[in-house]
Every structure is written in C-alpha cells, then in structure tokens.
C-alpha cells in the first residue's frame, strides 16, 4: 500500500475519533499515534469533559502513548490528527520527539505547522518534524464546519422586534 493510501486509512481512523468528540459536545478533532504500523494511542478533544484546556486530541494521545510505552520520548512514531495542531500541541509534539505529523484540515488562524506559525522546523527547537497536511482535508474541514454551524444555530437568540 502506498504512503498516501496508508495516510488516508489512518486519517479515517482519526475522523472516527473526532466524531466521538462531537458526540460529547466537544470540537471534533481526533488524533492517533502509530508506531510500526500499529496504533499505540488515540485521543479526541476532551477539554469540556476533563475541565482541562490542555486536553486537545493530540495531548490526550501523547499522554496515553507515553504511559503505554513507559517513555516520554515517542521516537519513530507518526501522529495523525484531523486538524493542523496549535502552538501548545506543536510544543508537545516536538518535546515528545514524534518523527512525523500528518493532518487533515489546515487551520489558517491558529495552525502552528504552516499557517500562523511554522514550528515543525523552527531554528530554536532541537527536534524537527516531517509533516504532511491536507490528507482527507475536505472531510476533516466539513466535520468542523458542520459542528460550528450547528453550535451557532443552537445559541442563536430569536430577534425581538
């Protein structure tokens, strides 16, 4: 199987995790860590559930992986995530020494891979991360758009004239 097909397969898995977040009223972002063609950890946004602003999908997966392999260094792993990571998550990805990052939707406002910031190869970091964005981009983007459209509809107040 080619790399792109493998990346798409893993991204489909991440999308299912994002849907779990959405089912719980969380922003639908999912992430998984793969090592040697096996999932070693998975996560989805759980900031509301855990009352923890750091419980982004990537952080949840990184914490789980560290516990599973009993090491904070996640050498030779690939992180798949449905949305371009933010600055907090990119810091954790770098410190964990994740080898490769693959994401779906680009985040033009807050993305710290190639949009708002470029932290995969920042000169002040000791570790540089190979990355690929836009895998199943339309599906990942649509999941987020639909979520926020529904959220706005629920919170929209009727006009009193």
């Amino acid at each position: 199987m080619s790399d792109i097909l493998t990346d798409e397969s893993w991204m489909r898995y991440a999308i299912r995790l994002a849907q779990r977040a959405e089912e719980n009223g969380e922003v639908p972002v999912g992430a998984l860590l793969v090592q040697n063609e096996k999932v070693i950890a998975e996560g989805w946004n759980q900031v509301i559930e855990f009352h923890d602003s750091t419980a982004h999908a990537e952080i949840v997966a990184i914490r789980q992986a560290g516990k599973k392999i009993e090491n904070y260094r996640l050498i030779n792993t690939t992180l798949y995530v449905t949305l371009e990571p933010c600055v907090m998550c990119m810091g954790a990805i770098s410190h964990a020494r994740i080898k490769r990052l693959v994401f779906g939707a680009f985040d033009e406002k807050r993305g710290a891979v190639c949009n708002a910031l470029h932290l995969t190869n920042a000169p002040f970091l000791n570790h540089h991360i190979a990355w690929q964005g836009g895998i199943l981009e339309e599906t990942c983007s649509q999941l987020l758009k639909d979520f926020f459209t529904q959220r706005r509809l629920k919170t929209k107040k009727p006009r009193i004239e």
Side-chain angles (χ1 to χ4, degrees):
M1 188 159 29
S2 74
D3 286 341
I4 194 75
L5 290 176
T6 301
D7 287 347
E8 286 181 5
S9 295
W10 290 124
M11 190 59 67
R12 282 184 180 72
Y13 188 133
I15 290 167
R16 289 192 301 275
L17 296 171
Q19 290 166 335
R20 287 182 76 172
E22 183 175 31
E23 289 166 6
N24 293 321
E26 304 270 4
V27 175
V29 177
L32 62 131
L33 269 158
V34 174
Q35 186 177 52
N36 300 323
E37 303 297 321
K38 293 181 182 161
V39 175
I40 62 167
E42 58 184 37
W44 54 91
N45 275 1
Q46 294 175 288
V47 296
I48 297 167
E49 180 181 347
F50 291 164
H51 309 287
D52 179 356
S53 61
T54 69
H56 289 194
E58 301 94 312
I59 302 295
V60 172
I62 288 169
R63 287 176 179 156
Q64 188 183 99
K67 287 178 182 175
K68 181 171 184 169
I69 68 170
E70 297 180 339
N71 195 333
Y72 70 102
R73 298 288 196 216
L74 304 175
I75 309 295
N76 295 321
T77 59
T78 299
L79 176 66
Y80 292 89
V81 61
T82 56
L83 178 64
E84 179 181 353
C86 70
V87 66
M88 174 186 70
C89 292
M90 282 306 301
I93 291 164
S94 177
H95 286 292
R97 301 297 194 262
I98 290 170
K99 182 177 184 176
R100 184 167 177 256
L101 167 67
V102 178
F103 63 88
F106 291 87
D107 188 342
E108 293 178 13
K109 292 181 183 176
R110 290 165 296 282
V113 174
C114 59
N115 278 292
L117 292 170
H118 298 88
L119 296 181
T120 57
N121 62 355
F124 58 86
L125 294 174
N126 293 331
H127 177 67
H128 296 175
I129 302 145
W131 66 276
Q132 174 68 49
I135 303 296
L136 299 180
E137 179 181 5
E138 183 57 38
T139 303
C140 294
S141 294
Q142 197 60 53
L143 189 61
L144 289 158
K145 287 175 189 171
D146 292 348
F147 174 81
F148 286 111
T149 297
Q150 287 302 312
R151 182 180 254 181
R152 281 190 293 277
L153 288 173
K154 288 179 184 176
T155 60
K156 194 172 190 176
K157 296 177 183 170
R159 287 183 69 174
I160 300 172
E161 295 183 27

